[in-house]
Amino acid sequence: MEIFRTVSELRRWSRALRAARHIEAGGIGLVPTMGALHAGHASLIRAARARCAQVAVSIFVNPTQFAPNEDYDRYPRSFEADCALAQAEGADAIFAPSVEEMYPPGAAAFVEVAGLSDRLDGASRPGHFRGVATIVTKLLIAAEPDLAFFGQKDAAQVAVLRRMVTDLRLGTEIVVFPIVREQDGLALSSRNAYLSATERIQALTLSRAVRWVEAMAAQGERRAGVLLEAARQIFASEPAVRIDFIALVDWATLEPTEVAAPGTLFAVAAWVGSTRLIDNAILG
Ligand code: PAF
């Protein structure tokens, strides 16, 4: 497995593969990550390995998607373990640039997906999706992948990136994989590492609300008001967990919906102590 630190190294790799026609079957897959890899990332790398001839994993804690009061400095970093996991799952290359490599001094170009970027997580974390859209654009321009793999856990991020790739005609297909959960239902997240033992139990409120709403929708309840109220009741049973948002939205536009039609996104974000967690389901 090769490790690249600069955009030009990654681009040379990708272009050499194309020139040598090594990638005709399946193309190049990119799995963008911020490191601290867990089983959710492993499932993305495995999926990329199954579909693509060559797989690159990017590891970059992107400063522009964190607000000044957020956890950029303490975000978990575990480069050696991440490389071992990526290699075990079959990655061919790691791209781990420095901040200066991705944001040269004086960097002033940003990618904005108007409207979508201000909804759900974007409403609670102003500027977050501008940072995500910017770094993912830079990664896609550098690696020129055929497919890029993202987890459904960041469902609003997926909506923003799909819009961005379509509008900018970037030519990469966005592939989305289901949420990977612990046995008790907690959605895997690098931020779960912040939770104390008590908070770890309280955090299950999110997946409980998601499962409950999914079950109600599966039994035919389609009224958004009723489903949202049911979710609020579940959070009311665990006052230590503070709701950031609970929403039923169209997954493409992130606009609230009155009727939970198949494909509607039910999304929650909540604070457990000082840790903000998210979870969701795409209703069937
Ligand atoms: O989902 C993430 O880990 C990040 O938002 C991403 C897509 C790697 C961009 O930094």
Side-chain angles (χ1 to χ4, degrees):
M1 189 178 69
E2 300 191 72
I3 298 184
F4 304 125
R5 298 283 181 182
T6 65
V7 167
S8 44
E9 285 169 348
L10 178 65
R11 185 168 290 144
R12 212 175 301 128
W13 173 77
S14 155
R15 292 197 174 163
L17 288 169
R18 285 193 197 287
R21 299 184 180 277
H22 277 166
I23 46 138
E24 273 172 357
I28 296 175
L30 176 69
V31 184
T33 81
M34 296 208 298
L37 302 186
H38 51 61
H41 298 110
S43 78
L44 295 179
I45 301 170
R46 266 199 308 282
R49 176 73 285 152
R51 285 192 58 178
C52 301
Q54 291 284 316
V55 175
V57 175
S58 66
I59 297 178
F60 179 64
V61 185
N62 173 36
T64 63
Q65 68 189 78
F66 292 80
N69 60 336
E70 292 186 341
D71 57 342
Y72 174 70
D73 286 334
R74 72 178 187 123
Y75 195 85
R77 288 160 170 89
S78 50
F79 186 66
E80 303 302 322
D82 291 347
C83 289
L85 182 145
Q87 185 157 32
E89 297 298 348
D92 299 293
I94 295 281
F95 178 51
S98 64
V99 172
E100 295 68 34
E101 179 65 14
M102 297 316 285
Y103 296 99
F110 288 88
V111 177
E112 191 89 51
V113 182
L116 282 174
S117 288
D118 300 328
R119 297 183 190 133
L120 300 192
D121 308 272
S124 320
R125 304 180 66 190
H128 170 67
F129 285 134
R130 179 189 198 238
V132 171
T134 301
I135 193 62
V136 174
T137 300
K138 288 176 186 242
L139 292 170
L140 296 185
I141 290 174
E144 298 177 343
D146 299 281
L147 306 177
F149 294 78
F150 297 89
Q152 184 202 306
K153 188 168 81 62
D154 295 296
Q157 167 173 286
V158 166
V160 169
L161 295 179
R162 279 179 169 150
R163 184 74 260 167
M164 179 191 90
V165 164
T166 302
D167 290 359
L168 298 181
R169 302 270 188 248
L170 287 175
T172 298
E173 184 189 332
I174 301 282
V175 184
V176 182
F177 264 72
I179 297 176
V180 178
R181 297 181 181 280
E182 304 275 10
Q183 275 202 333
D184 59 8
L186 184 70
L188 292 193
S189 162
S190 305
R191 290 191 169 96
N192 291 349
Y194 300 154
L195 301 172
S196 69
T198 308
E199 290 169 344
R200 171 69 183 70
I201 295 166
Q202 293 165 344
L204 291 174
T205 315
L206 282 87
S207 53
R208 260 208 309 279
V210 167
R211 277 205 302 248
W212 187 244
V213 166
E214 263 188 311
M216 285 177 74
Q219 282 165 22
E221 180 57 72
R222 294 284 159 197
R223 291 167 297 174
V226 174
L227 294 169
L228 292 172
E229 183 49 32
R232 265 187 219 105
Q233 290 301 322
I234 295 199
F235 278 91
S237 68
E238 185 51 270
V241 177
R242 288 172 291 123
I243 297 171
D244 177 0
F245 64 74
I246 300 183
L248 266 167
V249 297
D250 178 300
W251 194 12
T253 63
L254 303 183
E255 296 268 21
T257 172
E258 287 301 309
V259 178
T264 298
L265 167 65
F266 171 69
V268 299
W271 289 92
V272 184
S274 59
T275 305
R276 184 176 176 279
L277 298 177
I278 56 176
D279 202 341
N280 69 73
I282 307 302
L283 302 184

